[in-house]
């Protein structure tokens, strides 16, 4: 007769599996490998990093720190694919600028310069390209960065979904930025800069293949105003910042919990979610915690600075709906729990596959 495991023993076995070195076992690349969940992690940590060897980054963070002639810089790059190219609240051009700017911002760096590479599909209407380049220019101006260099390629019809964009950015680190998941400690507070799930739901509705009607707009914007305000107000008390893009807030929380070897407990009734997003997610059978954002960050803050950090966020552009959603605990290490409205708890794990349409 098989042994009946206790809840603690089950948790220990799950945690042992999660902490095993990642191995890439698939024969082919699937959409799940780009979804930001477990398959993505296996691809990067189990295939890409080992093959890069000494060239691989020392940590898989949003941006790489650089020190050049005494200047503390951050360096990052990102690629953008989305359909449709324009949607309520934004465009692929907005995403290309803000996505890279935000990787710098949550690393504690003021964005300075961008490089832009465009892959265009044969037959793309010139007016569409004009619209997207105009959106890039407007977003760059709003974020206070310059598109300093770039490249353009054209591929055959059917070889590209209209256009793909890649942006690379460099920024200068804030003098008080000491952001690192390893600095997260039990007792720290978890904050989010605003309502979650807006971007992902806006994209899904814009595709028109869902029989739903709701006024939801993407939240694409620069996060530097929020990050700068928090760093100015609280400095090194800001332990870690992450932008909750692919995989949503749930993925960010799990990544930090594993990296810092702590537990994270969130109160689900404190999550800022717009009623329209909640309704759409309920109909679609998805959890807003896993839906992508393009203008929201998650912050881990020392407990004594949480109130000041929250106030700074709410005073910043795009941070009016910021909320304190949870705290860091010593147990269970490496796991995220949600306290439901009924007083119970549930495990909030990383996505296994690709249950959501590609949205960024």
């Amino acid at each position: 007769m098989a042994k009946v495991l206790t809840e603690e023993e089950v948790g220990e076995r799950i945690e042992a599996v999660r902490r095993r070195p990642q191995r890439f076992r698939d024969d082919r690349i699937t959409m799940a490998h780009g979804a930001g969940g477990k398959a993505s992690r296996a691809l990067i940590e189990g295939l890409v990093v080992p093959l890069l060897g000494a060239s691989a980054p020392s940590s898989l963070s949003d941006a790489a720190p650089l020190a050049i002639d005494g200047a503390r810089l951050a360096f990052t790059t990102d690629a953008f694919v989305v359909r449709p190219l324009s949607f309520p609240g934004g465009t692929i051009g907005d995403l290309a600028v803000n996505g890279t700017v935000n990787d710098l911002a949550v690393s504690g760096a003021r964005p300075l310069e961008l490089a832009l590479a465009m892959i265009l599909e044969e037959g793309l209407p010139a007016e569409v390209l004009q619209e997207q380049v105009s959106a890039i220019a407007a977003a760059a101006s709003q974020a206070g960065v310059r598109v300093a260099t770039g490249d353009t390629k054209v591929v055959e019809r059917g070889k590209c979904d209209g256009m793909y964009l890649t942006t690379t950015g460099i920024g200068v680190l804030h003098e008080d930025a000491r952001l690192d998941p390893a600095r997260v400690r039990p007792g720290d507070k978890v904050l989010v800069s605003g309502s979650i799930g807006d971007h992902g739901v806006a994209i899904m509705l814009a595709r028109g293949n869902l029989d739903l009607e709701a006024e939801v707009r993407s939240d694409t914007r620069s996060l530097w105003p929020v990050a700068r305000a928090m760093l100015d107000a609280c400095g090194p008390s800001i332990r870690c910042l992450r932008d909750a893009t692919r995989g949503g807030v749930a993925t960010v929380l799990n990544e930090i919990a594993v990296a810092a070897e702590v537990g994270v407990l969130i109160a689900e009734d404190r999550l800022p979610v717009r009623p329209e997003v909640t309704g759409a997610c309920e109909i679609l059978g998805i959890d807003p915690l896993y839906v992508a954002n393009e203008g929201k960050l998650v912050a881990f803050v020392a407990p004594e600075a949480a109130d000041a950090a929250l106030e700074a966020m709410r005073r910043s552009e795009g941070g009016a709906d910021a909320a304190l959603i949870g705290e860091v605990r010593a147990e269970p290490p490496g796991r995220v729990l949600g306290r439901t409205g009924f007083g119970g708890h549930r495990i909030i794990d990383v996505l296994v596959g690709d249950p959501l349409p590609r949205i960024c």
Side-chain angles (χ1 to χ4, degrees):
M1 182 176 179
K3 177 185 176 182
V4 177
L5 301 177
T6 66
E7 181 178 349
E8 182 178 355
E9 289 173 328
V10 171
E12 289 176 352
R13 292 196 178 189
I14 292 174
E15 196 57 34
V17 171
R18 293 181 68 184
R19 292 176 182 275
R20 288 176 184 167
Q22 292 293 309
R23 293 184 181 180
F24 186 77
R25 303 177 184 274
D26 299 308
D27 295 327
R28 298 179 183 274
I29 300 300
T30 69
M31 293 299 288
H33 292 115
K38 293 181 179 179
S40 296
R41 182 184 170 202
L43 172 66
I44 300 303
E45 298 182 14
L47 186 148
V48 176
V49 170
L51 291 177
L52 288 177
S55 298
S58 57
S59 65
L60 301 179
S61 55
D62 292 292
L66 301 175
I68 301 176
D69 294 334
R72 296 175 63 233
L73 305 174
F75 182 60
T76 189
T77 192
D78 208 344
F80 298 86
V81 297
V82 68
R83 179 174 53 83
L85 297 178
S86 296
F87 43 85
T91 71
I92 190 173
D94 299 323
L95 299 185
V97 173
N98 291 329
T100 296
V101 161
N102 291 345
D103 281 346
L104 294 170
V106 297
S107 300
R110 174 169 61 88
L112 296 177
E113 307 279 344
L114 296 181
L116 168 69
M118 299 189 296
I119 299 177
L120 310 178
E121 182 181 7
E122 178 189 16
L124 179 73
E127 62 181 1
V128 173
L129 177 59
Q130 192 170 29
E131 176 189 0
Q132 296 304 328
V133 175
S134 296
I136 290 168
S141 176
Q142 181 69 25
V145 297
R146 180 179 67 130
V147 179
T149 188
D151 186 37
T152 303
K153 295 289 188 296
V154 178
V155 297
E156 297 174 354
R157 191 185 302 266
K159 302 298 185 181
C160 171
D161 198 2
M163 71 186 327
Y164 299 150
L165 301 177
T166 295
T167 43
T168 298
I170 191 165
V172 59
L173 286 165
H174 191 285
E175 60 182 5
D176 291 328
R178 302 292 184 270
L179 305 176
D180 189 334
R183 297 186 63 237
V184 174
R185 299 285 184 271
D188 289 348
K189 304 300 182 183
V190 183
L191 287 68
V192 65
S193 64
S195 59
I196 65 173
D198 296 352
H199 175 70
V201 170
I203 297 296
M204 287 186 277
L205 295 179
R207 290 181 177 167
N209 51 10
L210 299 174
D211 190 19
L212 295 175
E213 292 186 8
E215 293 293 329
V216 182
R217 297 175 62 82
S218 171
D219 60 349
T220 175
R221 66 167 65 246
S222 169
L223 284 170
W224 176 239
V226 174
R228 178 182 58 195
M230 297 179 71
L231 289 166
D232 285 346
C234 304
S237 293
I238 307 300
R239 311 281 204 201
C240 181
L241 300 176
R242 285 289 174 87
D243 57 334
T245 51
R246 287 182 306 170
V249 170
T251 298
V252 167
L253 296 177
N254 274 278
E255 288 174 349
I256 301 303
V258 171
E261 297 189 351
V262 296
V264 176
L265 175 66
I266 64 169
E268 297 192 25
D269 58 359
R270 292 187 181 183
L271 291 170
V273 188
R274 299 187 191 281
E276 302 90 335
V277 172
T278 298
C281 287
E282 287 178 351
I283 293 172
L284 295 170
I286 57 180
D287 189 333
L289 279 168
Y290 293 96
V291 179
N293 310 271
E294 285 294 345
K296 300 299 180 339
L297 63 78
V298 177
F300 290 76
V301 184
E304 66 274 9
D307 289 342
L310 184 60
E311 182 180 353
M313 294 171 87
R314 289 175 173 170
R315 290 198 310 265
S316 304
E317 180 183 358
D321 296 326
L324 193 160
I325 63 170
E327 65 180 13
V328 178
R329 297 187 172 184
E331 300 289 339
R335 275 185 278 174
V336 179
L337 301 179
R339 186 172 65 240
T340 69
F342 299 101
H345 292 81
R346 68 179 178 111
I347 294 177
I348 299 173
D349 204 352
V350 181
L351 288 172
V352 175
D354 186 25
L356 302 177
R358 180 54 42 81
I359 52 178
C360 60

